[in-house]
Amino acid sequence: MASATLADEGYIEYDGDTSMVSFSSPGVLGADSLDEREELAYRLLVSLPRSRLAAIQRRIAPHLQIDIIGTLPSEISLQIFSHLQYETLLVCSLVNRRWHTLANDQSHWMRLCRERNWKWRQPSRIHPLETPLTHHDGANDSDDEGMGDSDIDGDNGDRELMMNDVEAAKAELTLMHVELDSGYASTSFSGPPVVDPEPSMSGARYTVYPKSSPERSRSRPHARHSAPAVFKTGGLMSHLTPDYKLLYQTHMKLYNRFRTSSYRLSALQTRGAPNNAHTNTIYCLQLYTYPSGLQVLFTGSRDRTVREWNLTTGIVERVIGGVHTASVLSVCVHGGYLASAGSDNRVAVWDLEQNQLHKVLMDHTDSVLCVRFDDRRLVSCSKDHTVRTYSFPDLTPQNILRAHRAAVNAVSISRNLIASGSGDKSIKVWDPDTGTLLRTFELHHNRGIASIDFRYPHILTGSSDKHLRLVNTLNLKQGWSTSPEYHYDPPGSASPSSSPAFTTPSDSRLMCQCCGSENVHLVPTGVQGPCVHIDLVRSVVLGEDFVVSGSYDLSIKVPLFCALHLKLWDRKTGGMIADLTGGHTARIFCIGIDRTKIVSCGEDQRICIWDFSHGIDTSFLHLS
């Protein structure tokens, strides 16, 4: 007979126990409405000790949090995220998986990159060579050095410069800045590079040293990359699909390195090395990237030649000589052409693709101090007080711009305008199509203007008064200067096209360039502050975020010994970001900058590279 008692099978069905009743059911404990149940829950909670309330709060908190963004359709969520800046996107990506996916969507990072004009390119391993940095005495030249005298200022003369062991040790310490990123594996080179003898320039109209063969470039085993050798470089070429978040983060990492002076200093050329390097003072340089992605450096020298350096291998790919009979003072490279200007009153234009001379211009009557060109025109300026314009590439003469009263030391082109700076202390803005003088800034500096860079509407100048000045041509109240006193066109100026009388407005900025403070007291005349150049500012570059200046100035930290300076400034405020020393032992003549490095050359025959990208993969960046 079957037993009436059922075996326990590991569970008990509901037996009418009221403790198991759900509180979501109406009528529980006499609470029929939501208001009654709320009141009941409140009374139960207030009857518990505080420790219990804290535990209940932790259990209830997840039920009170609602992810509104996560519940929306993806299209709407992405539209909301598209209004966020990069810092907020990075924070949002840490919330949960859904937000991580939304914040990392490529459309947001592509928008941010386009706002900064940061473009993706297929990777190629392009980066400067690193060689050991050694110090040499500066050259002692008597050439015009690419700058004419002003109408009232004399030449400062040459200086015999050297560096002692103490200063050299300090220079090496500057290479050991605190690293915000990964470590760096240094690469050095032994033995001279493989090069051919330099061709003779005698008995030829011009000589072009041919570019190195691919076999020679591949045979050099010491090519340096941005990523250190300890990294696996095979994966660096795997960026087949643009990663705009990576692109943006890489640019921001480089930006922070510039701001914190985290660089690696190396020398592309020192006196006598490599074998076919320049044999005299190097006056000018320009970085250039071929359509293939190969980046090179062009340099011009007192040895009357222009050299093309392969920054992947560090060797001289091409020597262009035989056309200039005196120092090469200025070079400009654009669109497959190179223009060089010299003390022989000539401007030579070279077709780099065809590897031949395109045309020689001999219209100036004195040294041609600067040459610039774009897709439409070529502009040159001279010690003969004139600026000349030519159509490009046919180089038909257009206009002769005569208004300066002294040598025109520098010109710059932006949009359809030309800016010129002269030893007469003025800068002038021209319409190149008509030759019309649009505006004059008289007494822009207290002494002659030595260098200029123009990115409309901003004009940056450096002067023999040891100062820099940035002015907005559309709003004179915007800008900055490292000088405590300056004036625009004082009352009584005779120039009909000059700007109205203007003195420093109360809301213009004058600040300490070391800390960026605007609480600055004027220093007595003749007293030099610690945050500015103390000699002629020979070269300036106006970048998107930074201003770079190179000077003849000396650091008097150890008596009778000196170091030459590059300075890095914040473009918006004029605050000094970095004082780059230890690279040159004589006057700096020219500087160049791209998104990863600063390049400089000077009287000591050195080409120095201040690399801010060490240890970072920059193969997918457009450098210019």
Side-chain angles (χ1 to χ4, degrees):
M1 180 178 179
S3 173
T5 304
L6 298 176
D8 186 355
E9 297 180 348
Y11 71 93
I12 301 176
E13 293 189 13
Y14 173 64
D15 58 0
D17 187 354
T18 57
S19 64
M20 303 295 292
V21 177
S22 170
F23 280 89
S24 63
S25 303
V28 176
L29 299 180
D32 294 322
S33 66
L34 289 176
D35 291 340
E36 291 175 341
R37 278 181 277 165
E38 178 183 339
E39 180 64 23
L40 176 61
Y42 174 74
R43 291 180 180 179
L44 289 174
L45 290 173
V46 297
S47 66
L48 297 175
R50 183 171 298 178
S51 60
R52 292 288 184 175
L53 290 176
I56 293 175
Q57 182 184 22
R58 288 192 297 270
R59 295 173 62 184
I60 293 178
H63 298 282
L64 301 179
Q65 297 173 352
I66 302 177
D67 183 5
I68 298 177
I69 299 295
T71 60
L72 295 174
S74 297
E75 294 80 4
I76 299 177
S77 299
L78 289 174
Q79 181 63 29
I80 295 173
F81 272 66
S82 69
H83 296 280
L84 304 179
Q85 292 303 309
Y86 84 98
E87 301 98 331
T88 309
L89 286 173
L90 292 176
V91 173
C92 289
S93 68
L94 303 177
V95 174
N96 54 43
R97 291 184 179 180
R98 171 68 171 164
W99 282 43
H100 179 81
T101 301
L102 293 171
N104 288 334
D105 190 86
Q106 288 292 305
S107 62
H108 309 316
W109 298 97
M110 181 186 297
R111 169 184 56 83
L112 292 172
C113 289
R114 286 179 176 175
E115 290 175 357
R116 301 294 298 269
N117 196 31
W118 293 341
K119 300 178 181 178
W120 179 277
R121 73 174 178 86
Q122 281 306 114
S124 61
R125 304 311 304 160
I126 306 298
H127 210 277
L129 165 77
E130 176 178 90
T131 57
L133 181 64
T134 55
H135 296 283
H136 298 275
D137 294 337
N140 187 11
D141 301 326
S142 58
D143 197 21
D144 57 25
E145 299 174 345
M147 198 187 85
D149 299 334
S150 72
D151 51 353
I152 60 174
D153 300 328
D155 192 350
N156 290 328
D158 297 327
R159 293 182 175 91
E160 290 293 336
L161 306 176
M162 59 187 298
M163 179 178 288
N164 67 349
D165 294 337
V166 175
E167 200 64 24
K170 291 181 179 179
E172 291 298 323
L173 287 177
T174 64
L175 306 181
M176 302 173 64
H177 272 280
V178 176
E179 277 301 325
L180 302 181
D181 313 291
S182 61
Y184 178 71
S186 177
T187 305
S188 60
F189 304 96
S190 60
V194 180
V195 294
D196 291 335
E198 185 173 350
S200 172
M201 294 169 49
S202 60
R205 180 168 175 264
Y206 64 89
T207 303
V208 179
Y209 176 68
K211 300 189 73 174
S212 298
S213 65
E215 289 75 18
R216 179 189 303 164
S217 298
R218 285 195 297 266
S219 66
R220 183 174 177 85
H222 301 299
R224 175 189 167 203
H225 305 288
S226 299
V230 295
F231 293 167
K232 296 294 185 181
T233 58
L236 298 178
M237 300 300 293
S238 61
H239 303 299
L240 300 180
T241 302
D243 185 343
Y244 288 99
K245 181 180 180 181
L246 175 63
L247 178 64
Y248 196 92
Q249 290 179 312
T250 301
H251 276 290
M252 291 307 300
K253 180 176 289 189
L254 291 170
Y255 173 84
N256 291 330
R257 283 196 173 183
F258 273 92
R259 293 200 66 90
T260 57
S261 302
S262 178
Y263 59 82
R264 179 74 177 179
L265 177 58
S266 60
L268 186 65
Q269 170 179 321
T270 57
R271 189 185 299 272
N275 290 344
N276 65 338
H278 286 294
T279 59
N280 213 320
T281 298
I282 305 172
Y283 286 126
C284 51
L285 58 78
Q286 183 177 333
L287 292 163
Y288 179 68
T289 303
Y290 284 102
S292 64
L294 174 67
Q295 189 181 43
V296 298
L297 177 71
F298 287 92
T299 55
S301 168
R302 193 179 180 186
D303 64 12
R304 308 176 185 179
T305 68
V306 175
R307 278 166 164 77
E308 177 183 351
W309 301 79
N310 186 324
L311 294 183
T312 304
T313 63
I315 67 174
V316 176
E317 292 278 5
R318 175 163 39 187
V319 177
I320 302 174
V323 64
H324 286 290
T325 59
S327 300
V328 179
L329 303 177
S330 177
V331 293
C332 182
V333 194
H334 176 75
Y337 289 90
L338 177 143
S340 59
S343 297
D344 54 3
N345 311 349
R346 298 181 182 183
V347 175
V349 180
W350 307 84
D351 186 326
L352 297 176
E353 183 177 354
Q354 298 297 323
N355 211 27
Q356 64 184 14
L357 182 67
H358 180 63
K359 193 171 184 178
V360 177
L361 306 173
M362 295 183 289
D363 297 320
H364 285 289
T365 60
D366 208 334
S367 297
V368 184
L369 304 179
C370 185
V371 61
R372 295 291 182 265
F373 70 96
D374 57 17
D375 293 327
R376 298 183 57 189
R377 64 179 47 83
L378 180 144
V379 182
S380 60
C381 64
S382 170
K383 290 177 71 174
D384 63 12
H385 303 189
T386 68
V387 177
R388 291 179 179 265
T389 65
Y390 304 82
S391 61
F392 193 84
D394 61 303
L395 299 177
T396 302
Q398 291 181 324
N399 297 294
I400 305 176
L401 312 180
R402 306 177 187 272
H404 286 292
R405 304 180 303 275
V408 186
N409 292 319
V411 291
S412 187
I413 306 174
S414 183
R415 296 188 179 181
N416 196 37
L417 296 172
I418 296 173
S420 58
S422 169
D424 62 12
K425 309 177 189 178
S426 73
I427 57 176
K428 298 182 185 293
V429 181
W430 310 81
D431 181 339
D433 292 328
T434 64
T436 303
L437 177 60
L438 302 177
R439 192 165 196 175
T440 297
F441 296 85
E442 291 287 359
L443 300 180
H444 193 66
H445 284 270
N446 293 327
R447 298 184 68 182
I449 295 172
S451 51
I452 192 168
D453 199 4
F454 184 21
R455 288 196 177 190
Y456 183 84
H458 297 95
I459 300 178
L460 174 70
T461 51
S463 168
S464 56
D465 68 3
K466 312 169 189 177
H467 291 288
L468 286 82
R469 190 170 184 183
L470 179 71
V471 62
N472 185 335
T473 58
L474 299 180
N475 185 351
L476 298 182
K477 294 184 179 181
Q478 295 182 2
W480 52 265
S481 174
T482 60
S483 173
E485 52 179 282
Y486 58 88
H487 301 276
Y488 279 113
D489 297 335
S493 174
S495 175
S497 57
S498 64
S499 57
F502 180 84
T503 56
T504 307
S506 58
D507 59 348
S508 66
R509 290 189 291 270
L510 175 67
M511 63 190 65
C512 174
Q513 271 67 45
C514 279
C515 61
S517 171
E518 297 185 18
N519 183 23
V520 175
H521 301 282
L522 299 184
V523 297
T525 303
V527 177
Q528 189 68 52
C531 307
V532 296
H533 286 296
I534 56 174
D535 208 332
L536 181 147
V537 182
R538 174 58 185 269
S539 183
V540 294
V541 177
L542 180 58
E544 292 183 358
D545 299 304
F546 306 110
V547 165
V548 186
S549 60
S551 169
Y552 290 176
D553 61 5
L554 312 179
S555 175
I556 323 241
K557 294 179 181 178
V558 180
L560 303 179
F561 297 94
C562 53
L564 279 295
H565 286 242
L566 286 173
K567 291 184 184 288
L568 188 64
W569 316 80
D570 186 289
R571 171 171 171 165
K572 293 182 179 179
T573 67
M576 193 179 77
I577 296 172
D579 190 358
L580 308 179
T581 62
H584 290 277
T585 58
R587 295 179 294 178
I588 297 171
F589 285 127
C590 192
I591 53 177
I593 185 174
D594 65 12
R595 301 191 189 279
T596 64
K597 59 185 165 295
I598 297 173
V599 185
S600 60
C601 65
E603 189 177 28
D604 54 6
Q605 301 181 31
R606 289 172 178 264
I607 301 173
C608 293
I609 300 176
W610 315 76
D611 178 21
F612 294 83
S613 66
H614 53 86
I616 300 176
D617 177 19
T618 60
S619 60
F620 46 84
L621 301 187
H622 278 275
L623 299 178
S624 58

